[in-house]
Coordinates of all heavy atoms in Angstrom, one line a residue:
M1 N -26.1 -37.0 -18.3 CA -26.0 -35.6 -17.9 C -27.4 -35.1 -17.5 O -28.3 -35.1 -18.3 CB -25.5 -34.7 -19.1 CG -25.1 -33.3 -18.6 SD -24.2 -32.5 -20.0 CE -24.5 -30.8 -19.5
P2 N -27.5 -34.7 -16.3 CA -28.8 -34.2 -15.8 C -29.3 -33.0 -16.4 O -28.5 -32.1 -16.7 CB -28.6 -34.1 -14.3 CG -27.2 -33.8 -14.1 CD -26.5 -34.4 -15.3
Y3 N -30.6 -32.9 -16.7 CA -31.2 -31.7 -17.4 C -31.3 -30.7 -16.3 O -31.9 -30.9 -15.2 CB -32.5 -32.1 -18.0 CG -33.3 -30.9 -18.5 CD1 -32.8 -30.2 -19.7 CD2 -34.3 -30.3 -17.8 CE1 -33.5 -29.1 -20.1 CE2 -35.0 -29.2 -18.3 CZ -34.6 -28.6 -19.4 OH -35.2 -27.5 -19.9
R4 N -30.9 -29.5 -16.6 CA -31.1 -28.4 -15.7 C -32.1 -27.4 -16.3 O -32.0 -26.9 -17.3 CB -29.8 -27.6 -15.5 CG -28.8 -28.3 -14.7 CD -27.7 -27.3 -14.4 NE -26.6 -27.9 -13.7 CZ -25.6 -27.2 -13.1 NH1 -25.6 -25.9 -13.3 NH2 -24.7 -27.8 -12.5
G5 N -33.2 -27.4 -15.6 CA -34.3 -26.5 -16.0 C -33.9 -25.0 -15.8 O -33.0 -24.7 -15.1
R6 N -34.5 -24.2 -16.6 CA -34.2 -22.7 -16.5 C -34.8 -22.3 -15.2 O -36.0 -22.4 -14.9 CB -34.9 -22.0 -17.6 CG -34.2 -22.1 -18.9 CD -35.0 -21.4 -20.0 NE -35.1 -20.0 -19.7 CZ -34.4 -19.1 -20.4 NH1 -33.6 -19.4 -21.4 NH2 -34.5 -17.8 -20.1
S7 N -34.0 -21.7 -14.4 CA -34.5 -21.1 -13.1 C -35.0 -19.7 -13.4 O -34.7 -19.1 -14.4 CB -33.4 -21.1 -12.1 OG -32.4 -20.2 -12.4
I8 N -35.7 -19.2 -12.5 CA -36.3 -17.8 -12.7 C -35.1 -16.8 -12.7 O -35.2 -15.8 -13.4 CB -37.2 -17.5 -11.5 CG1 -38.5 -18.4 -11.6 CG2 -37.6 -16.0 -11.5 CD1 -39.3 -18.4 -10.4
G9 N -34.0 -17.1 -12.0 CA -32.9 -16.2 -12.0 C -32.0 -16.2 -13.2 O -31.1 -15.5 -13.3
A10 N -32.3 -17.2 -14.1 CA -31.3 -17.3 -15.3 C -31.2 -16.1 -16.1 O -30.1 -15.7 -16.5 CB -31.8 -18.5 -16.1
G11 N -32.3 -15.4 -16.4 CA -32.3 -14.2 -17.2 C -31.5 -13.1 -16.5 O -30.7 -12.5 -17.1
R12 N -31.7 -13.0 -15.2 CA -31.0 -12.0 -14.5 C -29.5 -12.3 -14.4 O -28.7 -11.4 -14.5 CB -31.6 -11.9 -13.1 CG -31.3 -10.5 -12.4 CD -31.8 -10.5 -11.0 NE -33.2 -10.9 -10.9 CZ -33.8 -11.4 -9.8 NH1 -33.1 -11.6 -8.8 NH2 -35.1 -11.7 -9.8
H13 N -29.2 -13.6 -14.3 CA -27.8 -14.0 -14.3 C -27.1 -13.7 -15.6 O -26.0 -13.1 -15.6 CB -27.7 -15.5 -14.0 CG -26.3 -16.0 -14.1 ND1 -25.4 -15.7 -13.1 CD2 -25.7 -16.8 -15.0 CE1 -24.2 -16.3 -13.4 NE2 -24.4 -16.9 -14.5
R14 N -27.9 -13.9 -16.7 CA -27.3 -13.6 -18.0 C -27.0 -12.1 -18.1 O -26.0 -11.7 -18.7 CB -28.3 -14.1 -19.1 CG -27.6 -14.1 -20.5 CD -28.5 -14.8 -21.5 NE -28.8 -16.1 -21.1 CZ -30.0 -16.7 -21.2 NH1 -31.0 -16.0 -21.6 NH2 -30.2 -17.9 -20.9
L15 N -28.0 -11.3 -17.6 CA -27.8 -9.9 -17.6 C -26.5 -9.5 -16.8 O -25.7 -8.6 -17.3 CB -29.0 -9.2 -17.0 CG -29.1 -7.7 -17.1 CD1 -29.1 -7.2 -18.6 CD2 -30.3 -7.1 -16.3
R16 N -26.3 -10.1 -15.7 CA -25.1 -9.8 -14.9 C -23.9 -10.1 -15.6 O -22.9 -9.4 -15.6 CB -25.2 -10.6 -13.5 CG -26.0 -9.9 -12.5 CD -25.5 -10.3 -11.1 NE -25.4 -11.7 -10.9 CZ -26.4 -12.5 -10.5 NH1 -27.5 -12.0 -10.2 NH2 -26.2 -13.8 -10.3
V17 N -23.9 -11.3 -16.3 CA -22.7 -11.7 -17.1 C -22.4 -10.6 -18.2 O -21.3 -10.3 -18.4 CB -22.9 -13.1 -17.7 CG1 -21.8 -13.4 -18.7 CG2 -23.0 -14.1 -16.6
H18 N -23.5 -10.2 -18.9 CA -23.3 -9.1 -19.9 C -22.7 -7.9 -19.3 O -21.8 -7.3 -19.9 CB -24.7 -8.8 -20.6 CG -25.0 -9.7 -21.7 ND1 -24.3 -9.6 -22.9 CD2 -25.8 -10.8 -21.8 CE1 -24.8 -10.6 -23.7 NE2 -25.7 -11.3 -23.1
Q19 N -23.2 -7.5 -18.2 CA -22.7 -6.3 -17.5 C -21.3 -6.5 -17.1 O -20.4 -5.5 -17.3 CB -23.5 -6.0 -16.2 CG -24.9 -5.4 -16.5 CD -25.8 -5.3 -15.3 OE1 -25.5 -5.9 -14.3 NE2 -26.8 -4.5 -15.4
R20 N -20.9 -7.7 -16.7 CA -19.5 -8.0 -16.3 C -18.6 -7.9 -17.5 O -17.6 -7.3 -17.5 CB -19.5 -9.4 -15.7 CG -18.2 -9.8 -15.2 CD -17.9 -9.2 -13.8 NE -16.5 -9.5 -13.4 CZ -15.6 -8.6 -13.2 NH1 -15.9 -7.3 -13.3 NH2 -14.4 -8.9 -12.8
I21 N -19.1 -8.4 -18.6 CA -18.3 -8.4 -19.9 C -18.1 -6.9 -20.3 O -17.0 -6.5 -20.7 CB -19.0 -9.2 -21.0 CG1 -18.9 -10.7 -20.6 CG2 -18.3 -9.0 -22.4 CD1 -19.7 -11.7 -21.5
D22 N -19.2 -6.1 -20.3 CA -19.1 -4.7 -20.6 C -18.1 -4.0 -19.8 O -17.2 -3.2 -20.3 CB -20.5 -4.0 -20.4 CG -21.4 -4.4 -21.6 OD1 -21.0 -4.9 -22.6 OD2 -22.6 -4.0 -21.4
T23 N -18.1 -4.3 -18.5 CA -17.1 -3.7 -17.5 C -15.7 -4.1 -17.9 O -14.8 -3.3 -18.0 CB -17.5 -4.1 -16.1 OG1 -18.8 -3.8 -15.8 CG2 -16.6 -3.4 -15.1
L24 N -15.5 -5.4 -18.2 CA -14.2 -5.9 -18.5 C -13.7 -5.3 -19.8 O -12.6 -5.0 -19.9 CB -14.3 -7.5 -18.7 CG -14.4 -8.2 -17.4 CD1 -14.6 -9.7 -17.6 CD2 -13.1 -8.1 -16.5
E25 N -14.6 -5.2 -20.8 CA -14.2 -4.6 -22.1 C -13.8 -3.1 -21.9 O -12.8 -2.7 -22.5 CB -15.4 -4.6 -23.1 CG -15.5 -5.9 -23.8 CD -16.7 -5.9 -24.8 OE1 -17.5 -5.0 -24.7 OE2 -16.8 -6.9 -25.5
S26 N -14.5 -2.4 -21.1 CA -14.1 -1.0 -20.9 C -12.8 -0.9 -20.1 O -11.9 0.0 -20.3 CB -15.2 -0.2 -20.3 OG -15.1 -0.1 -18.9
E27 N -12.6 -1.8 -19.1 CA -11.4 -1.9 -18.3 C -10.2 -2.2 -19.3 O -9.1 -1.7 -19.1 CB -11.5 -2.9 -17.2 CG -12.2 -2.4 -16.0 CD -12.4 -3.5 -15.0 OE1 -11.9 -4.6 -15.1 OE2 -13.1 -3.2 -14.0
L28 N -10.4 -3.2 -20.2 CA -9.4 -3.6 -21.1 C -9.0 -2.4 -22.0 O -7.8 -2.2 -22.3 CB -9.9 -4.8 -22.0 CG -9.0 -5.4 -23.0 CD1 -7.7 -6.0 -22.2 CD2 -9.6 -6.5 -23.7
E29 N -10.0 -1.7 -22.5 CA -9.7 -0.5 -23.3 C -8.9 0.5 -22.6 O -7.9 1.0 -23.1 CB -11.1 0.1 -23.8 CG -11.1 0.7 -25.1 CD -10.4 -0.1 -26.2 OE1 -10.7 -1.3 -26.4 OE2 -9.5 0.5 -26.8
T30 N -9.2 0.8 -21.3 CA -8.5 1.7 -20.5 C -7.1 1.2 -20.3 O -6.1 2.0 -20.4 CB -9.2 1.9 -19.1 OG1 -10.5 2.2 -19.3 CG2 -8.5 2.9 -18.3
T31 N -6.9 -0.1 -20.1 CA -5.6 -0.7 -19.8 C -4.8 -0.6 -21.1 O -3.6 -0.2 -21.1 CB -5.7 -2.1 -19.4 OG1 -6.5 -2.2 -18.3 CG2 -4.4 -2.7 -19.1
K32 N -5.4 -0.8 -22.3 CA -4.7 -0.7 -23.6 C -4.2 0.7 -23.8 O -3.0 0.9 -24.2 CB -5.6 -1.2 -24.7 CG -5.6 -2.7 -24.8 CD -6.8 -3.2 -25.6 CE -6.8 -3.0 -27.1 NZ -7.9 -3.6 -27.7
E33 N -5.0 1.7 -23.5 CA -4.6 3.1 -23.7 C -3.4 3.4 -22.8 O -2.5 4.1 -23.2 CB -5.8 4.0 -23.3 CG -6.8 4.1 -24.4 CD -8.0 5.0 -24.0 OE1 -7.9 5.7 -23.0 OE2 -9.1 4.8 -24.6
H34 N -3.5 2.9 -21.5 CA -2.5 3.1 -20.5 C -1.2 2.5 -21.0 O -0.1 3.2 -20.9 CB -2.9 2.5 -19.2 CG -2.1 2.9 -18.0 ND1 -2.0 4.2 -17.6 CD2 -1.3 2.1 -17.3 CE1 -1.2 4.2 -16.5 NE2 -0.7 3.0 -16.3
V35 N -1.2 1.3 -21.5 CA 0.0 0.6 -22.0 C 0.6 1.3 -23.2 O 1.8 1.5 -23.2 CB -0.3 -0.9 -22.3 CG1 0.8 -1.5 -23.1 CG2 -0.6 -1.7 -21.1
R36 N -0.3 1.8 -24.1 CA 0.2 2.5 -25.2 C 0.9 3.8 -24.8 O 2.0 4.1 -25.3 CB -0.9 2.8 -26.2 CG -0.5 3.2 -27.6 CD -1.6 3.3 -28.6 NE -2.6 4.3 -28.1 CZ -3.9 4.1 -27.9 NH1 -4.3 2.9 -28.1 NH2 -4.7 5.0 -27.5
R37 N 0.3 4.5 -23.9 CA 1.0 5.8 -23.4 C 2.3 5.5 -22.7 O 3.3 6.2 -23.0 CB 0.1 6.5 -22.4 CG -0.9 7.4 -23.0 CD -1.5 8.4 -22.0 NE -2.2 7.7 -20.9 CZ -3.6 7.5 -21.0 NH1 -4.2 7.9 -22.0 NH2 -4.2 6.9 -20.0
L38 N 2.3 4.4 -21.9 CA 3.6 4.0 -21.3 C 4.7 3.6 -22.3 O 5.8 4.0 -22.1 CB 3.4 2.8 -20.3 CG 2.7 3.2 -19.0 CD1 2.4 1.9 -18.2 CD2 3.7 4.1 -18.1
E39 N 4.3 2.9 -23.3 CA 5.2 2.4 -24.4 C 5.8 3.7 -25.1 O 7.0 3.7 -25.3 CB 4.5 1.5 -25.4 CG 4.4 0.1 -24.9 CD 3.7 -0.8 -25.9 OE1 3.1 -0.2 -26.9 OE2 3.7 -2.0 -25.7
N40 N 4.9 4.6 -25.4 CA 5.4 5.8 -26.1 C 6.3 6.6 -25.2 O 7.4 7.1 -25.7 CB 4.2 6.7 -26.5 CG 3.4 6.1 -27.6 OD1 3.9 5.3 -28.4 ND2 2.1 6.5 -27.7
T41 N 6.0 6.7 -23.9 CA 6.8 7.4 -23.0 C 8.2 6.7 -22.8 O 9.2 7.4 -22.9 CB 6.1 7.5 -21.6 OG1 4.8 8.1 -21.8 CG2 6.9 8.4 -20.6
L42 N 8.1 5.4 -22.7 CA 9.3 4.6 -22.5 C 10.3 4.7 -23.7 O 11.5 4.9 -23.6 CB 9.0 3.2 -22.2 CG 10.1 2.2 -21.8 CD1 10.7 2.7 -20.5 CD2 9.5 0.8 -21.6
Q43 N 9.7 4.7 -24.9 CA 10.5 4.8 -26.1 C 11.2 6.2 -26.1 O 12.3 6.3 -26.5 CB 9.6 4.6 -27.4 CG 9.3 3.2 -27.7 CD 8.3 3.0 -28.8 OE1 7.9 4.0 -29.4 NE2 7.8 1.8 -28.9
A44 N 10.5 7.2 -25.7 CA 11.0 8.6 -25.7 C 12.2 8.6 -24.7 O 13.2 9.2 -24.9 CB 10.0 9.6 -25.4
V45 N 11.9 8.0 -23.5 CA 12.9 8.0 -22.5 C 14.2 7.3 -23.0 O 15.3 7.8 -22.8 CB 12.4 7.3 -21.2 CG1 13.5 7.1 -20.2 CG2 11.3 8.2 -20.5
V46 N 14.0 6.2 -23.6 CA 15.1 5.4 -24.1 C 15.9 6.2 -25.2 O 17.1 6.2 -25.2 CB 14.7 4.0 -24.6 CG1 15.7 3.3 -25.4 CG2 14.2 3.1 -23.5
R47 N 15.1 6.9 -26.1 CA 15.8 7.7 -27.1 C 16.6 8.8 -26.5 O 17.7 9.1 -27.0 CB 14.7 8.3 -28.0 CG 14.4 7.5 -29.2 CD 13.7 8.3 -30.3 NE 12.5 9.1 -29.8 CZ 11.3 8.6 -29.8 NH1 11.1 7.3 -30.2 NH2 10.3 9.3 -29.3
N48 N 16.2 9.3 -25.4 CA 16.9 10.4 -24.7 C 18.1 9.9 -23.8 O 18.9 10.7 -23.4 CB 16.0 11.3 -23.9 CG 15.2 12.2 -24.8 OD1 15.7 13.1 -25.4 ND2 13.9 11.9 -25.1
A49 N 18.0 8.6 -23.5 CA 19.1 8.1 -22.7 C 20.1 7.5 -23.6 O 19.8 6.6 -24.4 CB 18.6 7.0 -21.7
D50 N 21.4 7.9 -23.5 CA 22.4 7.5 -24.5 C 22.7 6.0 -24.6 O 22.7 5.5 -25.6 CB 23.7 8.3 -24.2 CG 23.6 9.7 -24.6 OD1 22.7 10.1 -25.4 OD2 24.4 10.6 -24.0
D51 N 22.9 5.4 -23.4 CA 23.5 4.1 -23.4 C 22.5 3.0 -22.9 O 22.9 2.0 -22.5 CB 24.8 4.1 -22.6 CG 24.6 4.6 -21.2 OD1 23.5 5.1 -20.9 OD2 25.5 4.4 -20.4
V52 N 21.2 3.4 -22.9 CA 20.2 2.4 -22.4 C 19.3 2.0 -23.5 O 18.8 2.8 -24.3 CB 19.4 3.0 -21.2 CG1 18.4 2.0 -20.7 CG2 20.3 3.4 -20.1
S53 N 19.0 0.7 -23.6 CA 17.9 0.2 -24.4 C 17.1 -0.8 -23.7 O 17.5 -1.2 -22.6 CB 18.5 -0.3 -25.7 OG 19.3 -1.5 -25.5
I54 N 16.0 -1.2 -24.3 CA 15.1 -2.1 -23.7 C 15.2 -3.5 -24.3 O 15.1 -3.6 -25.6 CB 13.7 -1.6 -23.7 CG1 13.5 -0.2 -23.1 CG2 12.7 -2.6 -23.1 CD1 13.8 -0.1 -21.6
G55 N 15.4 -4.5 -23.5 CA 15.5 -5.9 -24.1 C 14.2 -6.6 -24.0 O 13.1 -5.9 -23.9
G56 N 14.2 -7.9 -24.0 CA 13.0 -8.7 -23.9 C 12.5 -8.7 -22.5 O 13.1 -8.1 -21.6
P57 N 11.3 -9.3 -22.3 CA 10.8 -9.4 -21.0 C 11.6 -10.3 -20.0 O 12.2 -11.3 -20.5 CB 9.4 -10.1 -21.2 CG 9.4 -10.7 -22.5 CD 10.5 -10.0 -23.3
C58 N 11.7 -9.9 -18.8 CA 12.5 -10.7 -17.8 C 11.6 -11.9 -17.5 O 10.4 -12.0 -17.6 CB 12.7 -9.8 -16.5 SG 13.5 -10.7 -15.2
S59 N 12.3 -13.0 -17.0 CA 11.7 -14.2 -16.7 C 10.7 -14.1 -15.5 O 9.8 -14.9 -15.3 CB 12.7 -15.3 -16.4 OG 13.6 -14.9 -15.4
C60 N 10.9 -13.0 -14.7 CA 10.0 -12.8 -13.5 C 8.7 -12.3 -14.0 O 7.7 -12.4 -13.3 CB 10.6 -11.8 -12.6 SG 10.6 -10.0 -13.1
G61 N 8.6 -11.9 -15.3 CA 7.3 -11.5 -15.9 C 6.8 -10.1 -15.4 O 5.7 -9.7 -15.8
E62 N 7.6 -9.4 -14.6 CA 7.2 -8.1 -14.1 C 7.7 -6.9 -14.8 O 7.3 -5.8 -14.6 CB 7.6 -8.0 -12.6 CG 6.9 -9.1 -11.7 CD 5.4 -8.9 -11.7 OE1 4.9 -7.8 -11.6 OE2 4.7 -10.0 -11.8
S63 N 8.7 -7.1 -15.7 CA 9.4 -6.0 -16.3 C 10.1 -6.4 -17.6 O 10.4 -7.6 -17.7 CB 10.4 -5.3 -15.4 OG 11.1 -4.3 -16.0
F64 N 10.4 -5.5 -18.5 CA 11.4 -5.7 -19.5 C 12.7 -5.5 -19.0 O 12.9 -4.8 -17.9 CB 11.1 -4.8 -20.7 CG 9.9 -5.1 -21.5 CD1 8.7 -4.4 -21.3 CD2 9.9 -6.2 -22.4 CE1 7.5 -4.8 -22.0 CE2 8.8 -6.5 -23.1 CZ 7.6 -5.8 -22.9
L65 N 13.7 -6.0 -19.7 CA 15.1 -5.9 -19.2 C 15.7 -4.6 -19.7 O 15.5 -4.2 -20.9 CB 16.0 -7.1 -19.6 CG 15.6 -8.4 -19.0 CD1 16.2 -9.5 -19.8 CD2 16.1 -8.5 -17.6
F66 N 16.5 -3.9 -18.9 CA 17.3 -2.8 -19.4 C 18.6 -3.4 -20.0 O 19.1 -4.3 -19.4 CB 17.8 -1.9 -18.2 CG 16.8 -0.9 -17.7 CD1 15.5 -0.8 -18.3 CD2 17.1 -0.1 -16.6 CE1 14.6 0.1 -17.8 CE2 16.2 0.9 -16.2 CZ 15.0 0.9 -16.7
V67 N 19.1 -2.8 -21.0 CA 20.3 -3.2 -21.6 C 21.2 -1.9 -21.5 O 20.9 -0.9 -22.0 CB 20.3 -3.6 -23.0 CG1 21.6 -4.2 -23.5 CG2 19.2 -4.7 -23.2
R68 N 22.3 -2.1 -20.7 CA 23.2 -0.9 -20.5 C 24.6 -1.4 -20.2 O 24.8 -2.3 -19.4 CB 22.7 -0.2 -19.2 CG 23.5 1.1 -18.9 CD 22.9 1.7 -17.7 NE 23.2 3.1 -17.7 CZ 22.7 4.0 -16.8 NH1 21.9 3.5 -15.8 NH2 23.0 5.2 -16.8
D69 N 25.6 -0.8 -21.0 CA 27.0 -1.2 -20.9 C 27.1 -2.7 -21.0 O 27.8 -3.3 -20.1 CB 27.6 -0.7 -19.5 CG 27.6 0.8 -19.5 OD1 27.6 1.4 -20.5 OD2 27.5 1.3 -18.3
R70 N 26.5 -3.3 -22.0 CA 26.6 -4.8 -22.2 C 26.1 -5.6 -21.0 O 26.5 -6.7 -20.7 CB 28.0 -5.2 -22.6 CG 28.5 -4.5 -23.8 CD 30.0 -4.9 -24.1 NE 30.2 -6.3 -24.1 CZ 30.0 -7.1 -25.2 NH1 29.5 -6.6 -26.3 NH2 30.2 -8.4 -25.1
E71 N 25.2 -5.0 -20.3 CA 24.6 -5.7 -19.1 C 23.1 -5.7 -19.2 O 22.5 -4.6 -19.4 CB 25.1 -5.1 -17.9 CG 25.1 -6.0 -16.7 CD 25.9 -5.5 -15.5 OE1 25.7 -4.3 -15.1 OE2 26.8 -6.2 -15.0
L72 N 22.5 -6.8 -18.9 CA 21.0 -6.9 -18.8 C 20.7 -6.7 -17.3 O 21.3 -7.2 -16.4 CB 20.5 -8.2 -19.2 CG 20.6 -8.6 -20.7 CD1 20.3 -10.1 -20.9 CD2 19.8 -7.7 -21.6
Y73 N 19.6 -5.9 -17.1 CA 19.2 -5.6 -15.7 C 17.7 -5.6 -15.6 O 17.1 -4.9 -16.5 CB 19.9 -4.3 -15.3 CG 19.3 -3.9 -13.9 CD1 19.6 -4.6 -12.8 CD2 18.5 -2.7 -13.9 CE1 19.1 -4.1 -11.5 CE2 18.0 -2.3 -12.6 CZ 18.3 -3.0 -11.5 OH 17.8 -2.6 -10.3
C74 N 17.1 -6.3 -14.7 CA 15.7 -6.2 -14.4 C 15.5 -5.2 -13.2 O 15.9 -5.6 -12.1 CB 15.1 -7.5 -14.1 SG 13.4 -7.4 -13.6
P75 N 14.8 -4.1 -13.4 CA 14.6 -3.2 -12.3 C 13.6 -3.7 -11.3 O 13.5 -3.2 -10.2 CB 14.0 -1.9 -13.0 CG 13.4 -2.4 -14.3 CD 14.2 -3.6 -14.7
Q76 N 12.9 -4.8 -11.7 CA 11.9 -5.3 -10.8 C 12.4 -6.4 -9.8 O 12.2 -6.3 -8.6 CB 10.7 -5.8 -11.7 CG 9.3 -5.7 -11.1 CD 9.0 -4.3 -10.6 OE1 9.4 -3.3 -11.1 NE2 8.3 -4.3 -9.5
C77 N 13.1 -7.4 -10.4 CA 13.6 -8.5 -9.5 C 15.1 -8.4 -9.3 O 15.6 -9.1 -8.4 CB 13.2 -9.8 -10.1 SG 14.1 -10.3 -11.5
G78 N 15.8 -7.5 -9.9 CA 17.2 -7.3 -9.7 C 18.1 -8.2 -10.5 O 19.3 -8.2 -10.3
Y79 N 17.5 -9.1 -11.4 CA 18.3 -10.0 -12.2 C 19.3 -9.2 -13.0 O 19.0 -8.1 -13.5 CB 17.3 -10.7 -13.1 CG 18.0 -11.5 -14.2 CD1 18.5 -12.8 -14.0 CD2 18.1 -11.0 -15.5 CE1 19.1 -13.5 -15.0 CE2 18.7 -11.7 -16.5 CZ 19.2 -13.0 -16.3 OH 19.8 -13.7 -17.2
Q80 N 20.5 -9.7 -13.1 CA 21.6 -9.1 -13.8 C 22.4 -10.1 -14.6 O 22.7 -11.2 -14.1 CB 22.5 -8.4 -12.8 CG 22.6 -6.9 -13.0 CD 23.3 -6.2 -11.9 OE1 23.2 -6.6 -10.8 NE2 24.1 -5.1 -12.3
R81 N 22.8 -9.7 -15.8 CA 23.6 -10.7 -16.6 C 24.4 -9.8 -17.6 O 23.9 -8.9 -18.2 CB 22.7 -11.7 -17.3 CG 23.5 -12.8 -18.0 CD 22.6 -13.9 -18.4 NE 21.7 -13.6 -19.5 CZ 22.0 -13.7 -20.8 NH1 23.2 -14.2 -21.1 NH2 21.2 -13.4 -21.7
T82 N 25.7 -10.2 -17.7 CA 26.5 -9.5 -18.7 C 26.3 -10.2 -20.1 O 26.3 -11.5 -20.1 CB 28.0 -9.6 -18.3 OG1 28.1 -9.1 -17.0 CG2 28.9 -8.8 -19.2
I83 N 26.2 -9.5 -21.1 CA 26.1 -10.1 -22.5 C 27.3 -9.9 -23.3 O 28.1 -9.0 -23.0 CB 24.8 -9.5 -23.2 CG1 24.7 -8.0 -23.2 CG2 23.5 -10.1 -22.6 CD1 23.6 -7.4 -24.0
Ligands
ZN1 ZN1 12.8 -9.6 -13.4

């Protein structure tokens, strides 16, 4: 394995990586808050809707499944199945 000497830019590169990680951490925090708000809202919506509940994630990976009148439905890809 060839030895790679420290280049002059290595320190600056490390700083950029740190800044990138900081940015990602704050984006992740924002995303987590957003997801939590959406979950709370969705739970309230489901509580207020008589015959709808939320099933597991759809195989398309884009949405959870609606469960309504013994039928699973994905609002994202249109998948439908009677249970
Ligand atoms: Zn789907």
Side-chain angles (χ1 to χ4, degrees):
M1 189 171 159
Y3 173 75
R4 287 192 183 188
R6 285 174 62 107
S7 68
I8 293 167
R12 203 182 308 154
H13 177 69
R14 194 171 300 135
L15 188 64
R16 275 208 308 274
V17 170
H18 273 286
Q19 284 169 344
R20 184 79 186 119
I21 290 170
D22 284 349
T23 305
L24 286 171
E25 275 179 350
S26 94
E27 282 174 3
L28 182 61
E29 212 42 55
T30 306
T31 304
K32 278 158 74 174
E33 281 173 23
H34 190 65
V35 168
R36 197 173 58 239
R37 273 198 296 269
L38 281 174
E39 278 177 350
N40 289 337
T41 307
L42 188 59
Q43 278 169 15
V45 169
V46 167
R47 268 199 306 275
N48 284 287
D50 288 337
D51 56 348
V52 177
S53 63
I54 303 295
C58 179
S59 57
C60 74
E62 297 297 316
S63 175
F64 286 100
L65 294 162
F66 278 1
V67 186
R68 185 180 205 171
D69 296 333
R70 299 175 54 81
E71 200 164 54
L72 293 171
Y73 170 68
C74 174
Q76 214 47 41
C77 71
Y79 170 80
Q80 239 171 325
R81 188 165 73 87
T82 306
I83 49 173

